[in-house]
């Protein structure tokens, strides 16, 4: 992957990738593997981007697809290919498991279904209901109800631990 492509097309959206990868991993090592695979898949599929949506929406879709694929592989016991180290620009942001309050939220999010995780992450990124629906392949009319249910579930999960 070219350094210019990473600098211009991936790094500005690293926060999106980090949040999604974080929601589907339990360790820093797994997080780094997912992050690298997402970056690789973005680079690999860049020529398929047809500009029907925003580049950030494309990033979300690829990130979610990679994470869900990795998650399914891990559930099936498949081994993962470990990539090289993260680029220096992403190292500081990648320390995903050091803040206790954020860890509590992510631990609660991990108890949600795979689709609900995606929905709440997109909501936390302040995406519109339509954008969320487009990214996850749903109807925007039911996103609001789904978010309300997810918030209620997260509150219950977090309050159980107190």
């Amino acid at each position: 992957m070219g350094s210019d492509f990473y600098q211009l097309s991936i790094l500005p959206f690293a926060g999106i990738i980090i949040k999604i990868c974080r929601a589907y991993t339990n360790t820093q090592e797994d997080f780094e593997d997912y992050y690298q695979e997402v970056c690789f898949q973005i680079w690999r599929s860049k020529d398929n981007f047809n500009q029907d949506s925003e580049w950030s929406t494309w990033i979300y879709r690829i990130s979610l697809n990679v994470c869900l694929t990795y998650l399914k592989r891990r559930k099936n016991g498949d081994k993962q290919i470990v990539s090289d180290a993260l680029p220096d620009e992403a190292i500081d942001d990648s320390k995903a498991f050091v803040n206790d309050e954020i860890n509590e939220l992510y631990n609660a999010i991990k108890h949600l279904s795979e689709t609900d995780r995606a929905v709440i992450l997109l909501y936390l990124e302040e995406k519109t209901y339509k954008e969320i629906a487009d990214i996850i392949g749903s109807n925007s009319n039911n996103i609001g109800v789904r978010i309300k249910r997810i918030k209620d579930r997260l509150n219950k999960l977090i309050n159980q631990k107190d």
Side-chain angles (χ1 to χ4, degrees):
M1 172 180 349
S3 176
D4 287 344
F5 180 79
Y6 182 81
Q7 292 287 332
L8 298 173
S9 301
I10 295 177
L11 193 57
F13 303 96
I16 294 169
I17 301 167
I18 288 167
K19 287 174 185 164
I20 292 172
C21 292
R22 169 111 192 259
Y24 292 94
T25 58
N26 295 315
T27 67
Q28 184 69 27
E29 181 180 276
D30 287 346
F31 166 81
E32 290 176 8
D33 288 347
Y34 280 47
Y35 183 91
Q36 290 174 296
E37 184 64 20
V38 167
C39 291
F40 174 71
Q41 293 301 329
I42 292 168
W43 174 78
R44 198 173 121 201
S45 65
K46 67 185 180 304
D47 295 333
N48 295 331
F49 178 64
N50 58 16
Q51 299 181 0
D52 286 344
S53 61
E54 295 290 323
W55 179 251
S56 62
T57 301
W58 182 254
I59 297 278
Y60 270 108
R61 285 183 187 151
I62 291 173
S63 299
L64 287 171
N65 287 339
V66 167
C67 289
L68 293 174
T69 298
Y70 259 39
L71 190 63
K72 287 176 186 169
R73 286 182 187 166
R74 293 226 168 171
K75 284 180 182 177
N76 293 331
D78 293 347
K79 297 290 181 196
Q80 305 300 314
I81 297 172
V82 179
S83 304
D84 296 333
L86 284 175
D88 290 340
E89 296 86 357
I91 296 285
D92 291 337
D93 289 336
S94 74
K95 301 301 180 200
F97 298 90
V98 295
N99 183 311
D100 289 339
E101 290 176 359
I102 293 175
N103 283 339
E104 186 175 9
L105 174 61
Y106 276 97
N107 286 334
I109 289 172
K110 288 175 187 170
H111 285 88
L112 301 173
S113 71
E114 295 167 0
T115 304
D116 285 351
R117 283 186 223 178
V119 169
I120 198 65
L121 290 172
L122 294 167
Y123 175 77
L124 292 172
E125 281 290 320
E126 300 178 353
K127 294 293 183 188
T128 66
Y129 292 174
K130 181 178 179 346
E131 289 172 312
I132 295 170
D134 289 346
I135 291 168
I136 66 165
S138 180
N139 182 326
S140 61
N141 293 333
N142 72 10
I143 295 296
V145 172
R146 190 172 202 156
I147 288 171
K148 169 76 169 101
R149 290 180 183 154
I150 293 168
K151 284 181 178 180
D152 290 345
R153 177 114 194 270
L154 287 173
N155 280 328
K156 286 180 187 175
L157 288 167
I158 290 170
N159 290 330
Q160 283 177 348
K161 297 184 182 188
D162 291 340

